[in-house]
């Protein structure tokens, strides 16, 4: 146990789990993210938690404990010091005589043993545990569950938080003074928000019903019920969230919109977009998490195949034209656009964006938050951009004819324009513009690329298993006879401690339609979306569903997930 973190790196290199030249960089990145080396390696999928645990058991001779088989409720409460647990990422398990046994995933973490021993005046011994299981155990110990919350909060404990007769100033003072920061409602809401960010949720739903109250997180596009606190706290939850987002707590009859800035560390904060809605049993509050630091703008991470990636890069390299990204809400359009802007973001180009809201902050790009109430619409912002000597313009969404006409004019006069529309396929985007009232000639001459997309959940690499499907069914699903003859292995989700129901993360599925001479002529002749799609497929376009089948064949996602997101 006298080994240092460098000793752990040597062991990993010797076992072939990392390369010799990586050690210094890995340590630096772990320090920058304020994580232990072990946590950094596992969070970034450099090694698996089970691999590390087995290696450390052999290298350091420390007993390996399976936390799943340990009853956490049996841990003596007096040793559950939250500050020590969070500081050292270690968990006291039990005592035997004058010895306190500490669960660690990093066998070189001597400081944790010393601190726990000093605080409780006991000898300490290390027990080696799987990092993922340790993370889950610490979360269960420190995060309140719905049952624990119900038991720990009685009405007499939070009587001062009944907001029925309180005006905004009094409630603000009551909830935000130092003396009340430890109040159960405030602490619980803060923990729920932090838990949502930690688990990678995109949205939080606080939902009141007649006899129940429900809190749900949207993770990887799917809603999961997280807690069911007492229904009599519904008004207090909505009041607290409205105070945090600077909304009118006295207004319960009309929808309201606001924002919360959640500071997680000195150099990291998360914006939350808040929306309230009066329902039959109270106000439903939905929060959208806008976490710039969590967004990956690496084009190789989006899910393009080689041909799609090159097509996107070639179109971005053109000095003018229009790139349109289409798909339903939550399909990843914003990240695709920002990835393109990030590629274009050099000192040689003047880039301006009009957004609602600004989801990711990019240094070097002039980002404008539209404000319709103040008269700053997409159209007005775009009109102003054209007087600011732009090279590249991004419009968050083309919603009306005025915005469409200005964007097309910009694309025709030497500017590269990027924007989004809400349509189901690439071909339908062209007919949507025509239906808005944009002349066919302008559509055909300005649009250079349309990219329809969906987000499918990735199969967990740790637990996915092969899924046998008869050949005749594979043919019916859309695979070609040649593909079936060559052999196709599809996978299905299982579920493990590393994932959510067999899935972990998401990947893009794309349909790319470049403007060709045949499609331009078809638009001029008044062709419909079906005719445009047929022509594009004949010219080599891969449809959304076909792109999904390729992802399933590659083992990235499941066939059920492809069917879910492509509506087949």
């Amino acid at each position: 146990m006298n080994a240092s973190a460098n000793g752990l790196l040597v062991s990993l290199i010797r076992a072939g789990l990392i390369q010799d030249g990586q050690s210094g960089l890995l340590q630096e990145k772990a320090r920058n993210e304020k994580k232990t080396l072990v946590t950094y390696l596992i969070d970034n999928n450099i090694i698996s938690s089970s691999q590390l645990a087995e290696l450390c058991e052999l290298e350091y001779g420390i007993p390996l404990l399976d936390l799943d088989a340990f009853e956490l409720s049996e841990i003596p409460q007096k040793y559950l010091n939250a500050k020590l647990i969070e500081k050292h990422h270690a968990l006291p398990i039990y005592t035997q005589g004058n010895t306190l046994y500490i669960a660690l995933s990093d066998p070189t973490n001597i400081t944790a043993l010393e601190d726990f021993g000093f605080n409780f005046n006991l000898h300490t011994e290390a027990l080696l545990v799987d990092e993922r299981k340790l993370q889950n155990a610490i979360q269960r110990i420190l995060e309140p569950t719905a049952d624990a919350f119900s038991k720990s909060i009685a009405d007499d404990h939070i009587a001062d938080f009944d907001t029925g007769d309180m005006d905004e100033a009094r409630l603000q003072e009551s909830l935000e003074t130092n003396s009340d920061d430890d109040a159960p409602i405030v602490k619980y809401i803060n923990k729920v928000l932090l838990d949502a960010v930690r688990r990678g949720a995109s949205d939080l739903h606080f939902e009141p019903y007649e006899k129940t109250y429900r809190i749900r997180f949207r993770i990887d596009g799917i809603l999961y019920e997280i807690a069911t606190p007492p229904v009599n706290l519904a008004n207090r939850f909505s009041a607290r969230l409205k105070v945090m987002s600077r909304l009118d707590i006295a207004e319960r009859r009309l929808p309201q919109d606001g924002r919360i800035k959640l500071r997680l560390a000195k150099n990291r904060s998360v914006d939350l977009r808040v929306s309230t809605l009066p329902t039959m049993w109270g106000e439903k509050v939905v929060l959208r998490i806008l976490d710039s630091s969590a967004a990956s703008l690496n084009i190789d991470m989006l899910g393009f195949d080689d041909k799609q990636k090159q097509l996107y890069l070639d179109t971005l390299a053109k000095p003018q034209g229009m790139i349109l990204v289409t798909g339903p809400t939550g399909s990843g359009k914003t990240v695709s656009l920002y990835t393109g802007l990030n590629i274009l973001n050099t000192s040689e180009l003047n880039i301006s964006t009009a957004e609602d809201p600004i989801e990711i902050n990019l240094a070097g790009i002039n980002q404008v938050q539209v404000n319709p109430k103040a008269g700053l619409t997409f159209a007005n912002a775009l009109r102003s951009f054209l007087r600011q000597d732009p090279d590249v313009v991004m419009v968050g969404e083309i919603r009306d004819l005025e915005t469409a006409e200005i964007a097309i004019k910009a694309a025709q006069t030497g500017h590269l324009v990027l924007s989004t529309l809400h349509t189901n396929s690439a071909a339908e985007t062209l007919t949507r513009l025509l239906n808005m009232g944009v002349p066919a000639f302008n559509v055909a001459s300005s649009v250079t690329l349309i990219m329809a997309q969906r987000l499918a959940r990735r199969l967990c690499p740790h637990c996915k298993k092969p899924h046998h499907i008869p050949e005749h069914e594979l043919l019916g699903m859309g695979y070609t006879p040649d593909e079936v003859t060559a052999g196709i292995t599809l996978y299905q989700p299982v579920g493990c401690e590393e994932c959510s129901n067999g899935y972990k993360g998401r990947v893009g599925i794309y349909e790319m339609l470049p403007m060709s001479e045949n499609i331009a002529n078809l638009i001029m002749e008044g062709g419909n979306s079906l005719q445009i799609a047929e022509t594009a497929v004949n010219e080599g376009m891969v449809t959304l569903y076909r792109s999904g089948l390729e992802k399933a064949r590659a083992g990235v996602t499941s066939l059920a997930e492809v069917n879910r997101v492509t509506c087949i």
Side-chain angles (χ1 to χ4, degrees):
M1 286 301 299
N2 293 323
S4 65
N6 286 330
L8 178 60
L9 281 169
V10 170
S11 299
L12 293 170
I13 293 169
R14 189 162 52 234
L17 295 177
I18 64 172
Q19 297 177 3
D20 193 1
Q22 290 181 293
S23 57
L25 180 62
L26 291 173
Q27 285 182 302
E28 181 181 353
K29 287 184 175 180
R31 276 195 303 270
N32 291 340
E33 295 189 17
K34 298 180 179 178
K35 294 180 178 179
T36 67
L37 178 62
V38 167
T39 303
Y40 177 81
L41 293 173
I42 292 170
D43 284 351
N44 289 275
N45 296 318
I46 296 171
I47 58 176
S48 73
S49 58
S50 57
Q51 281 179 313
L52 182 65
E54 291 169 2
L55 171 69
C56 290
E57 182 184 22
L58 293 173
E59 288 282 332
Y60 295 91
I62 303 172
L64 181 63
L65 173 71
D66 184 2
L67 273 179
D68 285 346
F70 189 85
E71 185 56 57
L72 297 180
S73 62
E74 295 180 1
I75 298 176
Q77 291 295 311
K78 62 181 178 180
Y79 299 127
L80 294 179
N81 184 310
K83 289 184 179 178
L84 286 177
I85 292 171
E86 290 182 334
K87 177 182 178 181
H88 296 295
H89 193 61
L91 189 64
I93 295 294
Y94 63 90
T95 58
Q96 193 172 53
N98 197 38
T99 301
L100 177 63
Y101 288 87
I102 310 292
L104 301 166
S105 59
D106 181 357
T108 66
N109 191 358
I110 309 297
T111 308
L113 300 178
E114 293 174 346
D115 271 12
F116 275 100
F118 177 79
N119 272 271
F120 298 113
N121 194 28
L122 293 170
H123 296 297
T124 54
E125 288 287 342
L127 291 173
L128 194 61
V129 294
D130 184 292
E131 164 66 13
R132 289 295 189 198
K133 294 181 180 180
L134 179 60
Q135 289 178 3
N136 293 337
I138 289 176
Q139 181 175 325
R140 285 166 58 193
I141 290 290
L142 299 184
E143 297 291 335
T145 63
D147 291 342
F149 182 70
S150 301
K151 293 175 182 176
S152 65
I153 297 182
D155 283 343
D156 58 336
H157 290 155
I158 53 173
D160 291 338
F161 290 87
D162 190 346
T163 61
D165 298 321
M166 298 176 69
D167 60 21
E168 183 173 0
R170 286 180 59 205
L171 183 67
Q172 184 85 15
E173 181 180 357
S174 173
L175 290 179
E176 295 192 342
T177 54
N178 290 333
S179 61
D180 280 332
D181 273 344
D182 292 331
I185 288 288
V186 176
K187 291 178 69 176
Y188 186 70
I189 291 293
N190 289 346
K191 283 185 176 294
V192 168
L193 298 183
L194 289 171
D195 190 35
V197 174
R198 188 180 298 117
R199 295 178 63 175
S202 60
D203 302 86
L204 297 81
H205 293 241
F206 293 80
E207 303 169 310
Y209 297 97
E210 181 180 10
K211 297 181 180 179
T212 60
Y213 193 89
R214 180 170 68 176
I215 299 175
R216 294 190 290 174
F217 292 174
R218 187 178 294 278
I219 301 173
D220 291 339
I222 303 295
L223 280 169
Y224 296 94
E225 186 174 298
I226 301 302
T228 54
V231 68
N232 63 328
L233 300 177
N235 289 340
R236 300 169 189 181
F237 282 145
S238 61
R240 174 60 186 166
L241 291 167
K242 287 163 76 173
V243 164
M244 294 174 72
S245 49
R246 302 184 185 278
L247 299 178
D248 182 0
I249 65 166
E251 179 56 75
R252 299 181 181 178
R253 298 169 300 175
L254 296 173
Q256 297 186 68
D257 296 304
R259 296 177 77 95
I260 297 172
K261 194 174 191 68
L262 191 65
R263 188 168 295 282
L264 305 176
K266 282 186 178 181
N267 300 321
R268 187 190 175 196
S269 61
V270 173
D271 286 328
L272 305 173
R273 187 174 63 190
V274 183
S275 172
T276 70
L277 179 69
T279 68
M280 180 180 292
W281 305 110
E283 286 183 286
K284 175 177 179 177
V285 185
V286 176
L287 295 85
R288 165 64 60 88
I289 298 176
L290 309 175
D291 187 2
S292 300
S293 63
S296 173
L297 302 183
N298 183 344
I299 192 169
D300 292 321
M301 299 297 291
L302 292 183
F304 293 128
D305 63 30
D306 292 340
K307 184 178 178 181
Q308 291 171 336
K309 173 185 172 181
Q310 194 57 51
L311 181 56
Y312 192 31
L313 291 174
D314 289 346
T315 310
L316 287 170
K318 294 181 179 179
Q320 67 182 52
M322 179 182 287
I323 299 173
L324 295 173
V325 183
T326 182
T329 301
S331 59
K333 301 187 296 296
T334 300
V335 172
S336 295
L337 284 179
Y338 274 114
T339 300
L341 291 177
N342 197 44
I343 292 170
L344 295 169
N345 189 14
T346 66
S347 59
E348 300 172 356
L349 296 177
N350 176 23
I351 305 174
S352 297
T353 73
E355 306 172 56
D356 184 22
I358 297 173
E359 297 190 24
I360 301 173
N361 297 320
L362 287 178
I365 292 179
N366 309 292
Q367 296 174 271
V368 175
Q369 169 70 56
V370 301
N371 185 355
K373 291 182 179 178
L376 182 57
T377 62
F378 281 121
N380 289 340
L382 187 50
R383 195 177 286 111
S384 296
F385 290 166
L386 297 181
R387 296 192 289 268
Q388 293 269 318
D389 184 32
D391 295 297
V392 180
V393 170
M394 194 270 272
V395 185
E397 184 182 349
I398 294 178
R399 297 176 178 172
D400 51 55
L401 177 60
E402 183 183 15
T403 306
E405 288 180 333
I406 300 171
I408 284 173
K409 178 182 176 182
Q412 291 173 328
T413 55
H415 308 94
L416 181 62
V417 179
L418 294 84
S419 190
T420 71
L421 271 87
H422 287 281
T423 58
N424 291 325
S425 68
E428 289 177 31
T429 304
L430 294 169
T431 55
R432 173 67 61 84
L433 289 172
L434 296 173
N435 292 337
M436 278 185 180
V438 179
F441 173 77
N442 286 340
V443 173
S445 61
S446 60
V447 176
T448 51
L449 177 67
I450 301 173
M451 185 164 66
Q453 68 178 81
R454 302 288 188 274
L455 284 180
R457 290 178 293 171
R458 288 180 181 269
L459 284 166
C460 173
H462 301 285
C463 65
K464 67 180 181 181
K465 68 176 184 180
H467 182 202
H468 174 71
I469 297 178
E471 290 189 0
H472 69 277
E473 291 187 21
L474 292 173
L475 292 171
M477 291 169 185
Y479 288 107
T480 67
D482 289 342
E483 290 172 331
V484 173
T485 301
I488 294 175
T489 302
L490 300 179
Y491 293 85
Q492 63 183 357
V494 177
C496 68
E497 63 188 23
E498 304 274 349
C499 63
S500 296
N501 297 333
Y503 295 99
K504 185 176 182 180
R506 290 193 285 179
V507 64
I509 295 176
Y510 299 92
E511 174 181 281
M512 290 192 165
L513 191 160
M515 183 63 68
S516 67
E517 184 178 347
N518 289 334
I519 292 175
N521 290 334
L522 195 54
I523 293 170
M524 297 294 293
E525 295 168 1
N528 59 39
S529 59
L530 293 176
Q531 293 170 319
I532 294 172
E534 184 180 357
T535 302
V537 169
N538 291 337
E539 293 182 346
M541 182 186 80
V542 179
T543 65
L544 272 172
Y545 182 60
R546 180 65 203 182
S547 181
L549 290 180
E550 291 299 317
K551 292 288 191 299
R553 187 169 68 146
V556 176
T557 189
S558 67
L559 199 58
E561 185 69 2
V562 172
N563 289 333
R564 183 182 71 84
V565 300
T566 57
C567 302
I568 297 298

